[in-house]
Amino acid sequence: MEIRVAAEQPWDVDADVLAFPVPQDGAGEAVLSELDRRLDGALGDYRRVGELTGKAHGTALLRGRETAAPWLLGVGIGESSSFDALAALRFGAAVERRLGGRVCERLAIWLPAELLNGARAGAANGGGADDLAELIARGAVEGQHEPGSIYRDSVEGAPPQLRELIVVAPDGATDGLRAAVQRGVIIGEGGNRARRLAQRASNDVSPEVLADEATAVAREFGLQVEVIGPERATEMGMNLFMAVGRGSSNAPRFIVLRSGEQAAKDGEGRLLAMVGKGVTFDSGGISIKPADRMEEMKMDKTGACTVISAIATVATLAPGTPLMAVAPAVENLPGPHSTRPGDIVRALNGKVVEIQNTDAEGRLILADALTYAEQQGATHLVDVATLTGAVERAFGKQITGGFGTPQDWWDEVFQAGARQAERYWQVPLVEEYNADLDSWYADFVNTGGAEGSLVKSGLFLQQFVTKPWAHLDIGGTAYLRKPTPWAARGATGVTHATLVELALNGASSAA
Ligand code: BES
Ligand code: MN
Ligand code: ZN
């Protein structure tokens, strides 16, 4: 997709569709009035009849008149003072989604400076006009993701795949704006790469295929790749990782991607490892899940897909950044060789775990992956996992729950998220609940009762880290069961942008 930043007046821009924001409170009225005049007063008419009021994500497609673009798309953004980072991201995505099924190869989005500057003043997340433009561009790219087309040639109502994205900024088409738009596009493409892989069915993506996909990503983006098979993983002592995959004839693969020189540190003396849960299907194993919605568990590899894509995105934006992505991939099935409840297994870090429930498998493979990352020299850890149903019950589909220690490190992850319009809520690691993880025969069990189970999932993982660590539980936010005006049903790509932003913090301080 080509990117163009245009300094022309919006009505002079040559595009198939010109999209523009419509605030609910009449802000920017002066700017929109010239457009209205060129549309023979259609904008005013549409507002009066209630067709385009500025209500967030309300839209109207209008025929162009004295405009170079033959079609215009007005998209409501709500109150202009609340146009923050998240609103900007969703505005960009809503433009694309609204054009589903329409013919559009060259999409122009007009960013009136009056609106962006007004928004900047009210934006909760800070950020100037360039930051908002980055998010709008990222949204427009993410809006192009169409899960229905993975296994079919054509899908009715699919969003148009753009040949050119034109950002129209008559008063502010600076180099900084161009760079911001480019960054937004690259992060959006990375998010979509994660979503597409996460969305694929379990009969298509086994652990071996996930490793092949990671290898292909490594080739394309100039990363080093290492795939540890079952024999070596066993030799190395990754017994928790190996315990989960035993029931399946699709053998485990432990995937490692690296950018930068081996064990190199970034400008802050750090080596960040991003660890992602890669359960290609989670039936629960012997502790089998109910049939209802079990098909969603093909998404249980989303964390792995996200870190694999994020390291590629970082390599595009800042080649050579020291960074690791670790993605343990397994399939969790019941079978004659499956791990049983009550089995006792020694982890890579030497701790002994009683596997009380084989459906709490994510924490088992993450445990060994976190230990491995530290052994490989990681100084900072962040993991991403569809770890619990409890996190969805607690926070729903809009907020990712997480843990982090020390507090500074959590705060850094949180801030990276805020800049990329991703929302997190920190859950406390309440030390007293460790008592519920006590085992008669081992150092601890992997579950420990329903009460406070979200906290306990964090406490379990904490047993396997000694370095600054954050855990992002995307059990609620990784996929949507219903489409929204800004996103398709299915994989959301959540945390990809946060990880990229976080990794680039270290990279930029190197310069
Ligand atoms: N992959 C699931 C978590 C999950 C469930 C994510 C539903 C998204 C939607 C995870 O492996 C799991 O099964 N967790 C159990 C843990 C329990 C056995 C302690 C859960 O949440 O029920
Ligand atoms: Mn499970
Ligand atoms: Zn799982």
Side-chain angles (χ1 to χ4, degrees):
M1 192 186 69
E2 307 266 306
I3 300 168
R4 184 152 74 86
V5 172
E8 303 137 69
Q9 292 302 323
W11 34 88
D12 294 330
V13 171
D14 185 28
D16 297 328
V17 176
L18 170 70
F20 59 95
V22 181
Q24 195 160 15
D25 47 23
E29 205 77 30
V31 210
L32 291 181
S33 67
E34 174 60 17
L35 185 62
D36 190 34
R37 196 190 64 72
R38 287 168 177 267
L39 297 175
D40 276 350
L43 276 184
D45 292 346
Y46 274 51
R47 191 185 278 280
R48 275 186 292 279
V49 77
E51 177 66 12
L52 185 60
T53 59
K55 187 172 158 300
H57 313 123
T59 62
L61 196 59
L62 305 96
R63 194 80 176 91
R65 277 186 170 267
E66 290 171 48
T67 57
W71 294 97
L72 285 91
L73 177 64
V75 176
I77 59 165
E79 298 295 319
S80 57
S81 59
S82 60
F83 190 72
D84 59 6
L86 185 58
L89 178 69
R90 288 182 176 172
F91 164 68
V95 166
E96 251 296 303
R97 301 308 298 175
R98 175 59 176 78
L99 293 174
R102 313 298 189 279
V103 178
C104 176
E105 291 192 334
R106 297 171 308 148
L107 171 65
I109 304 182
W110 176 25
L111 310 182
E114 288 80 351
L115 279 179
L116 293 189
N117 294 336
R120 179 171 40 179
N125 296 332
D130 288 357
D131 292 345
L132 293 174
E134 173 183 331
L135 290 161
I136 290 168
R138 184 183 133 209
V141 171
E142 290 182 358
Q144 291 177 58
H145 169 74
E146 177 47 62
S149 71
I150 296 176
Y151 296 109
R152 285 176 296 186
D153 292 337
S154 71
V155 182
E156 209 183 295
Q161 302 303 297
L162 303 178
R163 194 156 56 72
E164 190 178 17
L165 176 66
I166 306 153
V167 171
V168 187
D171 315 301
T174 58
D175 288 350
L177 184 71
R178 214 206 121 74
V181 169
Q182 179 95 46
R183 193 174 190 265
V185 167
I186 289 169
I187 297 176
E189 287 172 349
N192 288 351
R193 179 168 56 238
R195 294 163 87 185
R196 224 175 153 78
L197 192 51
Q199 186 80 41
R200 283 166 59 185
S202 300
N203 61 331
D204 176 10
V205 180
S206 60
E208 185 184 2
V209 170
L210 191 57
D212 291 346
E213 292 289 343
T215 304
V217 166
R219 298 264 141 77
E220 183 179 345
F221 293 88
L223 304 164
Q224 298 151 58
V225 59
E226 186 180 355
V227 177
I228 301 173
E231 292 78 21
R232 251 191 75 217
T234 304
E235 273 166 38
M236 290 167 71
M238 295 193 190
N239 299 316
L240 285 181
F241 166 67
M242 287 304 297
V244 178
R246 290 199 199 293
S248 172
S249 49
N250 296 313
R253 293 288 186 279
F254 192 93
I255 303 164
V256 186
L257 297 178
R258 292 184 173 86
S259 81
E261 300 299 314
Q262 182 98 26
K265 305 286 191 283
D266 69 17
E268 294 182 3
R270 293 174 174 179
L271 174 58
L272 174 64
M274 308 182 291
V275 178
K277 171 178 173 180
V279 177
T280 61
F281 187 71
D282 180 15
S283 69
I286 297 296
S287 314
I288 197 161
K289 289 181 179 295
D292 190 39
R293 287 194 174 154
M294 202 203 273
E295 77 282 359
E296 284 184 357
M297 287 300 117
K298 67 179 178 186
M299 305 288 204
D300 214 20
K301 60 186 179 300
T302 303
C305 301
T306 307
V307 301
I308 290 167
S309 184
I311 192 172
T313 307
V314 173
T316 309
L317 290 167
T321 302
L323 187 61
M324 266 168 75
V326 180
V330 296
E331 186 172 43
N332 188 22
L333 293 183
H337 303 289
S338 287
T339 291
R340 295 144 287 233
D343 283 3
I344 294 180
V345 180
R346 184 180 300 272
L348 180 59
N349 77 345
K351 295 193 180 180
V352 181
V353 178
E354 178 182 348
I355 300 178
Q356 199 171 54
N357 186 321
T358 64
D359 197 13
E361 84 297 341
R363 60 196 73 181
L364 301 177
I365 66 172
L366 287 177
D368 280 349
L370 290 165
T371 303
Y372 174 86
E374 286 198 10
Q375 288 178 350
Q376 294 293 307
T379 63
H380 290 70
L381 303 160
V382 57
D383 78 72
V384 181
T386 46
L387 203 72
T388 68
V391 77
E392 179 169 353
R393 288 190 288 279
F395 303 123
K397 308 208 72 69
Q398 295 295 328
I399 310 279
T400 297
F403 300 82
T405 176
Q407 191 59 36
D408 285 2
W409 179 236
W410 170 265
D411 291 344
E412 204 174 317
V413 175
F414 184 89
Q415 289 306 329
R419 287 195 296 279
Q420 287 296 335
E422 295 194 309
R423 294 179 293 187
Y424 299 94
W425 197 260
Q426 186 182 17
V427 181
L429 290 158
V430 185
E431 211 259 314
E432 288 89 328
Y433 299 175
N434 271 317
D436 289 359
L437 295 174
D438 282 349
S439 163
W440 282 96
Y441 313 105
D443 292 334
F444 39 82
V445 297
N446 71 331
T447 47
E451 196 176 281
S453 66
L454 179 55
V455 174
K456 289 172 195 166
S457 72
L459 288 172
F460 181 89
L461 291 175
Q462 196 181 14
Q463 295 287 343
F464 299 90
V465 294
T466 66
K467 298 276 163 31
W469 157 73
H471 161 61
L472 307 176
D473 189 341
I474 56 171
T477 52
Y479 56 90
L480 302 172
R481 296 189 186 100
K482 300 190 288 257
T484 62
W486 59 87
R489 184 183 193 277
T492 60
V494 70
T495 76
H496 169 270
T498 301
L499 295 178
V500 170
E501 187 77 36
L502 182 69
L504 290 174
N505 275 349
S508 61
S509 61

Tab-separated table of all heavy atoms in Angstrom, residues 13-32:
chain	number	residue	atom	x	y	z
A	13	VAL	N	-8.204	16.936	-3.474
A	13	VAL	CA	-7.441	15.684	-3.432
A	13	VAL	C	-8.076	14.629	-4.337
A	13	VAL	O	-9.278	14.353	-4.255
A	13	VAL	CB	-7.349	15.153	-1.982
A	13	VAL	CG1	-6.750	13.751	-1.952
A	13	VAL	CG2	-6.513	16.098	-1.142
A	14	ASP	N	-7.236	14.057	-5.169
A	14	ASP	CA	-7.664	13.024	-6.100
A	14	ASP	C	-7.676	11.671	-5.377
A	14	ASP	O	-6.625	11.149	-5.016
A	14	ASP	CB	-6.654	13.014	-7.266
A	14	ASP	CG	-7.077	12.042	-8.354
A	14	ASP	OD1	-8.300	11.794	-8.492
A	14	ASP	OD2	-6.183	11.521	-9.046
A	15	ALA	N	-8.868	11.132	-5.135
A	15	ALA	CA	-9.003	9.862	-4.419
A	15	ALA	C	-10.355	9.272	-4.792
A	15	ALA	O	-11.216	9.978	-5.321
A	15	ALA	CB	-8.919	10.089	-2.914
A	16	ASP	N	-10.548	7.979	-4.500
A	16	ASP	CA	-11.860	7.371	-4.758
A	16	ASP	C	-12.868	7.818	-3.708
A	16	ASP	O	-14.039	8.057	-4.012
A	16	ASP	CB	-11.745	5.848	-4.755
A	16	ASP	CG	-10.833	5.346	-5.871
A	16	ASP	OD1	-10.793	6.001	-6.937
A	16	ASP	OD2	-10.135	4.333	-5.669
A	17	VAL	N	-12.407	7.888	-2.453
A	17	VAL	CA	-13.276	8.342	-1.360
A	17	VAL	C	-12.463	9.295	-0.479
A	17	VAL	O	-11.305	9.010	-0.168
A	17	VAL	CB	-13.777	7.155	-0.498
A	17	VAL	CG1	-14.602	7.648	0.689
A	17	VAL	CG2	-14.588	6.165	-1.338
A	18	LEU	N	-13.075	10.392	-0.096
A	18	LEU	CA	-12.479	11.302	0.884
A	18	LEU	C	-13.285	11.180	2.175
A	18	LEU	O	-14.472	11.507	2.203
A	18	LEU	CB	-12.524	12.742	0.387
A	18	LEU	CG	-12.143	13.807	1.426
A	18	LEU	CD1	-10.656	13.767	1.751
A	18	LEU	CD2	-12.543	15.205	0.964
A	19	ALA	N	-12.641	10.683	3.237
A	19	ALA	CA	-13.317	10.548	4.533
A	19	ALA	C	-12.931	11.719	5.421
A	19	ALA	O	-11.820	12.242	5.325
A	19	ALA	CB	-12.920	9.235	5.191
A	20	PHE	N	-13.868	12.119	6.284
A	20	PHE	CA	-13.571	13.237	7.196
A	20	PHE	C	-14.336	13.064	8.496
A	20	PHE	O	-15.408	12.453	8.523
A	20	PHE	CB	-13.917	14.576	6.532
A	20	PHE	CG	-15.362	14.686	6.124
A	20	PHE	CD1	-16.292	15.299	6.962
A	20	PHE	CD2	-15.796	14.172	4.910
A	20	PHE	CE1	-17.629	15.384	6.598
A	20	PHE	CE2	-17.143	14.261	4.532
A	20	PHE	CZ	-18.052	14.865	5.379
A	21	PRO	N	-13.759	13.589	9.607
A	21	PRO	CA	-14.410	13.457	10.909
A	21	PRO	C	-15.502	14.498	11.101
A	21	PRO	O	-15.356	15.653	10.686
A	21	PRO	CB	-13.266	13.702	11.901
A	21	PRO	CG	-12.277	14.532	11.154
A	21	PRO	CD	-12.434	14.236	9.693
A	22	VAL	N	-16.599	14.085	11.725
A	22	VAL	CA	-17.696	15.006	12.029
A	22	VAL	C	-17.909	15.019	13.540
A	22	VAL	O	-18.371	14.029	14.111
A	22	VAL	CB	-19.004	14.560	11.339
A	22	VAL	CG1	-20.131	15.542	11.644
A	22	VAL	CG2	-18.800	14.416	9.842
A	23	PRO	N	-17.524	16.111	14.212
A	23	PRO	CA	-17.726	16.171	15.659
A	23	PRO	C	-19.187	16.449	16.003
A	23	PRO	O	-19.904	17.074	15.224
A	23	PRO	CB	-16.827	17.313	16.108
A	23	PRO	CG	-16.520	18.100	14.886
A	23	PRO	CD	-16.861	17.302	13.681
A	24	GLN	N	-19.582	15.962	17.157
A	24	GLN	CA	-20.977	16.091	17.581
A	24	GLN	C	-21.296	17.504	18.056
A	24	GLN	O	-22.418	17.964	17.931
A	24	GLN	CB	-21.223	15.103	18.730
A	24	GLN	CG	-22.674	14.847	19.036
A	24	GLN	CD	-22.844	13.550	19.810
A	24	GLN	OE1	-21.880	12.999	20.338
A	24	GLN	NE2	-24.054	13.053	19.856
A	25	ASP	N	-20.266	18.174	18.605
A	25	ASP	CA	-20.513	19.466	19.252
A	25	ASP	C	-20.351	20.645	18.303
A	25	ASP	O	-20.290	21.787	18.726
A	25	ASP	CB	-19.559	19.637	20.443
A	25	ASP	CG	-18.129	19.275	20.061
A	25	ASP	OD1	-17.805	19.328	18.860
A	25	ASP	OD2	-17.350	18.924	20.956
A	26	GLY	N	-20.237	20.383	17.026
A	26	GLY	CA	-20.131	21.482	16.080
A	26	GLY	C	-18.760	22.120	16.015
A	26	GLY	O	-18.576	23.125	15.329
A	27	ALA	N	-17.771	21.532	16.721
A	27	ALA	CA	-16.402	22.054	16.605
A	27	ALA	C	-15.962	21.902	15.157
A	27	ALA	O	-16.383	20.994	14.452
A	27	ALA	CB	-15.456	21.283	17.523
A	28	GLY	N	-15.128	22.809	14.715
A	28	GLY	CA	-14.630	22.721	13.347
A	28	GLY	C	-15.693	23.069	12.317
A	28	GLY	O	-15.532	22.792	11.134
A	29	GLU	N	-16.778	23.667	12.762
A	29	GLU	CA	-17.872	24.055	11.856
A	29	GLU	C	-17.341	24.903	10.698
A	29	GLU	O	-17.705	24.714	9.540
A	29	GLU	CB	-18.916	24.866	12.633
A	29	GLU	CG	-20.316	24.824	12.049
A	29	GLU	CD	-21.049	23.517	12.363
A	29	GLU	OE1	-20.781	22.898	13.417
A	29	GLU	OE2	-21.889	23.121	11.539
A	30	ALA	N	-16.407	25.815	11.070
A	30	ALA	CA	-15.858	26.721	10.064
A	30	ALA	C	-15.151	25.942	8.956
A	30	ALA	O	-15.275	26.262	7.783
A	30	ALA	CB	-14.888	27.693	10.733
A	31	VAL	N	-14.423	24.906	9.351
A	31	VAL	CA	-13.663	24.116	8.369
A	31	VAL	C	-14.608	23.317	7.489
A	31	VAL	O	-14.423	23.209	6.275
A	31	VAL	CB	-12.728	23.101	9.068
A	31	VAL	CG1	-11.510	22.847	8.227
A	31	VAL	CG2	-12.397	23.520	10.462
A	32	LEU	N	-15.630	22.752	8.123
A	32	LEU	CA	-16.544	21.911	7.360
A	32	LEU	C	-17.438	22.747	6.452
A	32	LEU	O	-18.016	22.217	5.496
A	32	LEU	CB	-17.401	21.052	8.309
A	32	LEU	CG	-16.634	19.947	9.064
A	32	LEU	CD1	-17.599	19.146	9.945
A	32	LEU	CD2	-15.912	19.002	8.102
